[in-house]
Amino acid sequence: MPNNVKMIRIQSKLDELFANMIDVSDAKNDEDRRNKLNSRAIAAFAIVMRCGIDFESAAKAITDGYRDMGIDAVYTDSVQKKLVLVQSKWRKDGNGGISQEEVNTFVSGVERLINLELNGCNKKLEAKTSEISAAISDIDYQIEMIFCHTGSKKMNAYVRRPIDTLIKRVNGDDGETELLVFVENKLQDIYYYLTKGQNADNIVIDDFLLSNWGTIDGPYKAYYGTIPATAIGEWFAQYGNKLFAKNIRFYKGSTEVNQGIKEVLRNEADNFIYYNNGIKVLCKKITKKALYSTDRNVGMFALEGVSLVNGAQTAGTIGAIYAEAPELLSSARVYIQIIDLGEANEE
């Protein structure tokens, strides 16, 4: 049993979400079964967080076990055009981080998989050979490495070196092509998503700061202005595709258009707002706060029931950069419209 309150709650919630979905038939005893279930559940949940899929589909992505090549889950996301590869580690005390040895094992497995060197792998990985091969061969697909763990510490630069070396080797020296990217999910990310990120209707963004703002009074109350790109990056990190529940499209990943958005953010962040059309957000309720209420330079709001209905590619691309290098977004701003549908009928 975990000895940390957050860990107890995470284990309890994951048991509820993945009840009877995850295969632990290879467990040697009750303790081994518990450990395997915990580790495999967070691997599956990492895919839920990243791709917005249902829990049963995520459970089917598990490849963890003997001869898994250091890869605990594989999922091909045909919507976002991503091949998602997950390594997971359950730290029952909620402390620590990832070791150099664990990183090396993951990197070695990813490299073998990219080269389609799957000889000797287990049956779960072998069953995914055709979809892995198809994704790697498809020019539109991006490969995403996710290390998901219940430690409290983020991987430091020294431990991360093998990952960065592999990324540089796969992507090339120009830094423009992102065939391979890396994301780390730690204890706080898992806990936050479990408590706040699952139900799109419950997405609440408090203390939302809107600059140079204006209003539209009817037929529905709306506000418009600009926000820092880093704010959108934080939203995407917390909620992923749940942000787009009422959108007709999720974030599609590394498309030509999205690569163009990234290039502007990297090279002309100050001018991003002039290139980009911005985003549109629907809310079940918008509350204007008293702070900063004396002028239109900055306004503070609370947004409830948030759904981003236009700008999924902008938000997702910003989120991808935020996960890797948030400092690149420091001077970028985005135009936004937020619409209060609290008084509107469901249609």
Side-chain angles (χ1 to χ4, degrees):
M1 173 67 71
N3 55 12
N4 174 301
V5 173
K6 284 185 178 179
M7 292 297 298
I8 292 171
R9 291 177 177 179
I10 288 173
Q11 180 177 289
S12 177
K13 188 64 178 179
L14 291 176
D15 283 349
E16 174 190 331
L17 295 175
F18 291 103
N20 303 317
M21 293 181 186
I22 293 177
D23 179 18
V24 288
S25 58
D26 57 335
K28 299 174 183 177
N29 50 50
D30 288 345
E31 182 180 0
D32 190 38
R33 180 187 179 279
R34 179 74 263 175
N35 291 335
K36 282 181 165 55
L37 183 59
N38 289 339
S39 181
R40 292 172 187 179
I42 61 169
F45 193 67
I47 297 174
V48 172
M49 291 171 66
R50 202 64 184 164
C51 301
I53 63 173
D54 62 273
F55 301 111
E56 186 173 0
S57 297
K60 292 177 181 177
I62 297 299
T63 57
D64 176 54
Y66 181 58
R67 296 186 303 178
D68 63 15
M69 292 170 38
I71 298 175
D72 295 332
V74 176
Y75 180 71
T76 304
D77 189 332
S78 59
V79 175
Q80 299 187 74
K81 301 293 185 182
K82 287 179 180 288
L83 175 62
V84 181
L85 311 175
V86 182
Q87 171 65 276
S88 64
K89 294 296 176 184
W90 179 266
R91 309 292 193 222
K92 65 180 181 180
D93 58 1
N95 295 322
I98 303 305
S99 71
Q100 183 81 69
E101 183 180 359
E102 289 166 340
V103 167
N104 287 336
T105 300
F106 188 32
V107 167
S108 176
V110 171
E111 188 168 12
R112 283 184 60 188
L113 189 143
I114 290 174
N115 293 325
L116 297 178
E117 297 173 357
L118 302 179
N119 294 335
C121 69
N122 65 28
K123 291 183 178 180
K124 293 177 181 178
L125 262 178
E126 187 178 15
K128 297 180 178 293
T129 299
S130 59
E131 64 180 271
I132 291 170
S133 177
I136 289 174
S137 302
D138 192 321
I139 198 169
D140 291 329
Y141 269 75
Q142 185 178 64
I143 304 167
E144 186 161 289
M145 302 168 61
I146 300 178
F147 209 127
C148 183
H149 62 94
T150 54
S152 58
K153 294 182 180 179
K154 185 176 181 179
M155 196 180 302
N156 64 45
Y158 179 80
V159 172
R160 186 179 153 143
R161 284 191 310 168
I163 294 173
D164 293 334
T165 299
L166 178 62
I167 288 174
K168 186 175 181 180
R169 197 159 70 243
V170 172
N171 292 347
D173 294 329
D174 56 15
E176 296 180 1
T177 305
E178 289 190 318
L179 301 176
L180 180 66
V181 297
F182 173 73
V183 175
E184 179 181 9
N185 293 329
K186 57 187 188 300
L187 172 65
Q188 189 58 31
D189 304 315
I190 298 168
Y191 187 79
Y192 191 97
Y193 197 93
L194 280 169
T195 55
K196 298 185 178 180
Q198 293 182 79
N199 189 337
D201 288 339
N202 290 335
I203 292 181
V204 175
I205 300 174
D206 203 4
D207 294 341
F208 169 79
L209 293 175
L210 186 64
S211 299
N212 303 308
W213 61 278
T215 63
I216 300 172
D217 294 323
Y220 308 109
K221 187 73 173 181
Y223 299 86
Y224 56 88
T226 67
I227 61 172
T230 50
I232 298 174
E234 291 171 0
W235 301 350
F236 194 77
Q238 293 169 3
Y239 300 109
N241 280 325
K242 296 293 182 182
L243 280 171
F244 314 132
K246 294 181 174 62
N247 202 331
I248 60 172
R249 295 185 298 176
F250 281 173
Y251 170 53
K252 290 185 174 181
S254 186
T255 65
E256 183 178 354
V257 171
N258 291 345
Q259 283 299 117
I261 295 174
K262 286 183 179 180
E263 288 309 304
V264 174
L265 284 167
R266 287 195 184 101
N267 301 319
E268 298 183 70
D270 291 344
N271 293 327
F272 183 75
I273 195 168
Y274 302 111
Y275 286 101
N276 189 267
N277 292 329
I279 64 175
K280 188 188 298 286
V281 173
L282 301 183
C283 304
K284 287 192 171 182
K285 183 179 180 181
I286 301 175
T287 303
K288 174 75 174 67
K289 295 192 173 185
L291 189 63
Y292 305 126
S293 61
T294 58
D295 58 40
R296 295 292 179 91
N297 291 327
V298 179
M300 180 177 283
F301 302 82
L303 313 182
E304 301 176 37
V306 171
S307 183
L308 195 152
V309 295
N310 191 24
Q313 307 317 308
T314 295
T317 302
I318 289 172
I321 291 182
Y322 182 82
E324 287 292 314
E327 67 277 3
L328 293 178
L329 304 175
S330 60
S331 63
R333 300 196 66 81
V334 180
Y335 177 72
I336 186 172
Q337 300 174 58
I338 52 175
I339 302 170
D340 189 340
L341 297 182
E343 302 299 321
N345 60 41
E346 185 61 28
E347 182 179 355

